[in-house]
Amino acid sequence: MKLIFHGHDDRYAVEQSLLAFFPEERPVYKPAEEGEDHALVTLSRSPRFNTAVTTITYHGRTARGISRTAVDPQLTEYEAERLRQKAVKLSFFKAARDITGITPSWGALTGIRPGKLASRMLEEGMTERQVDRVLRDIYFVSPERRRLCIETAEASRRAKADLKPEDISLYVGIPFCPTRCAYCSFVSQSVERTLGLVEPYLEVLHREITDAARMVQETGLHIKSFYMGGGTPTTLSTDQMDRLLTHLNRSFDLSGCAEYCIEAGRPDTIDREKLQVLLDHGVDRISVNPQSLEDHVLTAIGRRHTARDVEEAMALATGMGFPHVNMDLIAGLPEDTPEGFRRTLDKCLSYGADNITVHTLSLKKGSRILLENFTIPSAEAVGEMLDYANAALRQADFRPYYLYRQKYMSGSFENTGWCISGAEGLYNIYIMEELHSILSLGAGGSTKMVDPVHQRIERVFHTKYPAEYIQRSEKLEENLSAFRQFHENMRG
């Protein structure tokens, strides 16, 4: 659909609304010919109001939506911009709803972190009932999504209450996988193709860890949570993992670290010796990520393991005594069905995981799903999967504790982390709710610097590819220098 903007360039919110109402359409930024499907979104500003008007022409029908937000000169520029965006997205929402007769589950909310809106209202003194009413009456959010939003906001507030100004989290990226999944666009390299890069990568990473630990100590910061992701960190050999964690633990003071998490990821990278290394180094949380337990779905997405391998890996992990084990699932994978997804979730609930993360398939531009035109379940089928997950997990005494959305998600739904009481993954809350800074080391990640007092966030995007990370190791100091300067400025 042609998108034409006057008075603004708020592409993100409009594009997300477009996908929610018109999932087959993609944004095109060109003038529309007479009679072509298009949306004209205009924002005008006065001393008192931001007024947005959207006119949509679609399949011969036309609808118009108007929304207005008040102007407050006492607001920061960030807050004022948020109100302008609110007017734009609500005007598009009203026009799209009129022309389609559809109200998406998330209503007019288009942001990545809907829980932050609920958290902000709760911190301003509103009750849960009042927040629910705002989400219902202003943003048109469905009852189940309102409940998810408020519950995850409460989990965020509990985690925030336990943070100190000097607390940060540490992330280490291992951008290697056994194979690349069809849905993935992460910058990860298949080990079978790039085996020679692993050792040089680790050599540079060891040096970066040394420099980062010195910076953290000199800046007076404290590691609250640690997370190693990827890729698949357990693609490393037992010896490589042992050397890496030994160096990490010797370099950083992790004595007050509340959570030490490593993504074990693929069951075909897990064995007893490797898991024992993790336990020996203090790892208290791992993630085994089957995505599906339907063998034909695993084949379709390019996995080389079976559902039986997942079951054996989970039996090993829980039997060895890891305090917390997470399992990741994806609703909407190629060849999957609501019935198959139900079987997968029911099996996961029997394996002993105390965390289950239910993702919605995100149609990422670099993934084979799009490049090779895979057939995927409809938005309605994905909705059935998520509805079943919500009910079944609650029945099993799991509760949602973090929540986020992504671009191009099937049905414009969400990713939700569920856990039993007391098993919340703190790193997930910290990064998704942007509660404090995340220092990222390695390739493919990004460092996020958060000043919660002044609501300021800055990012440093890292070198993407392992080979580039190795070749440009002299650039790593820029990341650490920016992080140091940001936190020194926070302290005045």
Side-chain angles (χ1 to χ4, degrees):
M1 181 184 288
K2 301 286 182 67
L3 297 180
I4 305 148
F5 295 163
H6 290 166
H8 70 102
D9 192 29
D10 189 21
R11 295 191 177 196
Y12 179 82
V14 174
E15 287 180 0
Q16 292 304 98
S17 291
L18 174 70
L19 292 171
F21 283 99
F22 309 99
E24 304 303 320
E25 298 287 343
R26 291 296 179 267
V28 178
Y29 293 94
K30 291 181 180 179
E33 302 293 333
E34 185 174 351
E36 272 192 308
D37 293 345
H38 71 278
L40 173 61
V41 189
T42 300
L43 177 68
S44 58
R45 311 178 194 184
S46 74
R48 295 181 60 194
F49 298 106
N50 304 300
T51 302
V53 180
T54 296
T55 303
I56 298 176
T57 296
Y58 186 70
H59 291 182
R61 299 182 59 208
T62 297
R64 191 166 181 255
I66 302 174
S67 181
R68 177 177 289 174
T69 56
V71 172
D72 184 347
Q74 295 183 339
L75 296 179
T76 66
E77 178 55 33
Y78 171 79
E79 292 168 330
E81 178 62 24
R82 197 167 62 209
L83 281 176
R84 290 192 290 270
Q85 291 174 349
K86 178 180 176 181
V88 168
K89 68 184 179 183
L90 282 172
S91 72
F92 189 97
F93 172 85
K94 292 176 181 178
R97 187 177 61 168
D98 285 351
I99 209 165
T100 63
I102 295 170
T103 302
S105 293
W106 281 103
L109 291 184
T110 58
I112 294 172
R113 299 172 176 86
K116 289 190 74 174
L117 174 63
S119 294
R120 188 163 56 247
M121 289 188 285
L122 290 168
E123 288 175 355
E124 290 170 356
M126 295 177 67
T127 65
E128 290 186 10
R129 181 173 293 183
Q130 289 171 324
V131 173
D132 182 81
R133 191 175 301 124
V134 169
L135 294 174
R136 182 193 67 192
D137 296 344
I138 295 179
Y139 295 101
F140 308 96
V141 180
S142 72
E144 180 56 41
R145 268 63 193 185
R146 297 199 304 268
R147 186 179 182 187
L148 283 177
C149 200
I150 292 169
E151 288 178 320
T152 54
E154 288 289 9
S156 171
R157 295 182 72 206
R158 290 192 296 272
K160 182 178 180 180
D162 191 44
L163 289 176
K164 298 176 181 177
E166 64 271 20
D167 286 341
I168 65 170
S169 287
L170 177 65
Y171 175 87
V172 170
I174 305 297
F176 300 98
C177 278
T179 58
R180 186 169 180 173
C181 296
Y183 55 80
C184 185
S185 67
F186 284 139
V187 182
S188 59
Q189 301 292 306
S190 168
V191 166
E192 63 188 7
R193 296 177 58 188
T194 58
L195 181 62
L197 289 177
V198 178
E199 278 294 339
Y201 178 86
L202 290 175
E203 182 180 342
V204 176
L205 181 59
H206 278 229
R207 294 203 301 271
E208 189 181 18
I209 287 171
T210 299
D211 294 340
R214 184 184 307 115
M215 181 274 294
V216 167
Q217 182 181 24
E218 292 172 354
T219 315
L221 298 172
H222 168 256
I223 306 297
K224 182 70 172 180
S225 73
F226 169 72
Y227 192 99
M228 184 182 291
T232 306
T234 44
T235 301
L236 300 181
S237 70
T238 300
D239 177 65
Q240 288 167 337
M241 182 66 77
D242 185 39
R243 285 188 281 122
L244 177 58
L245 295 184
T246 296
H247 182 62
L248 184 87
N249 289 357
R250 287 175 178 172
S251 301
F252 285 96
D253 178 8
L254 300 177
S255 58
C257 186
E259 178 178 276
Y260 198 129
C261 179
I262 292 183
E263 280 191 28
R266 305 277 195 96
D268 45 336
T269 67
I270 296 171
D271 59 37
R272 180 175 294 278
E273 290 74 21
K274 202 173 295 184
L275 292 184
Q276 189 61 54
V277 165
L278 302 188
L279 284 172
D280 290 345
H281 286 286
V283 175
D284 58 14
R285 182 180 295 265
I286 62 171
S287 184
V288 179
N289 303 332
Q291 316 305 6
S292 173
L293 293 174
E294 298 282 288
D295 282 337
H296 67 285
V297 176
L298 292 173
T299 299
I301 64 175
R303 291 291 186 99
R304 292 183 178 175
H305 63 81
T306 65
R308 177 65 179 171
D309 295 329
V310 176
E311 182 178 359
E312 292 175 353
M314 282 298 297
L316 183 61
T318 55
M320 291 180 68
F322 281 93
H324 302 290
V325 182
N326 173 75
M327 300 187 79
D328 275 13
L329 307 179
I330 299 178
L333 288 172
E335 306 298 330
D336 207 359
T337 63
E339 294 76 20
F341 183 84
R342 285 197 291 270
R343 287 191 294 268
T344 288
L345 180 61
D346 290 346
K347 289 177 184 176
C348 286
L349 286 170
S350 72
Y351 289 161
D354 62 1
N355 278 250
I356 295 179
T357 305
V358 181
H359 296 272
T360 299
L361 178 66
S362 179
L363 301 174
K364 299 173 182 177
K365 293 180 181 179
S367 68
R368 287 198 296 114
I369 285 179
L370 287 186
L371 295 175
E372 300 176 18
N373 295 316
F374 281 55
T375 300
I376 59 174
S378 67
E380 291 75 17
V382 174
E384 286 185 49
M385 297 176 188
L386 295 176
D387 288 345
Y388 180 79
N390 289 347
L393 286 162
R394 291 186 186 281
Q395 180 67 29
D397 290 328
F398 282 68
R399 293 294 179 268
Y401 73 94
Y402 81 102
L403 166 73
Y404 69 104
R405 301 172 73 202
Q406 295 170 274
K407 273 189 174 184
Y408 309 119
M409 298 184 84
S410 293
S412 194
F413 290 113
E414 70 283 330
N415 304 319
T416 308
W418 298 79
C419 71
I420 63 174
S421 179
E424 292 82 358
L426 294 175
Y427 178 87
N428 292 324
I429 299 175
Y430 297 152
I431 191 169
M432 290 306 165
E433 297 303 314
E434 299 178 321
L435 298 184
H436 68 192
S437 295
I438 310 290
L439 174 61
S440 179
L441 309 179
S446 64
T447 285
K448 182 180 293 185
M449 296 167 285
V450 178
D451 181 350
V453 175
H454 301 97
Q455 296 186 333
R456 186 165 62 99
I457 297 175
E458 295 181 14
R459 292 173 173 83
V460 176
F461 294 96
H462 293 211
T463 299
K464 291 184 175 181
Y465 298 99
E468 189 179 3
Y469 174 80
I470 295 165
Q471 294 162 4
R472 302 184 63 192
S473 58
E474 73 279 358
K475 295 290 185 181
L476 303 180
E477 180 57 33
E478 295 178 8
N479 171 42
L480 302 181
S481 178
F483 199 88
R484 178 197 295 269
Q485 190 63 52
F486 184 91
H487 284 273
E488 288 178 347
N489 291 343
M490 274 180 59
R491 289 201 294 265

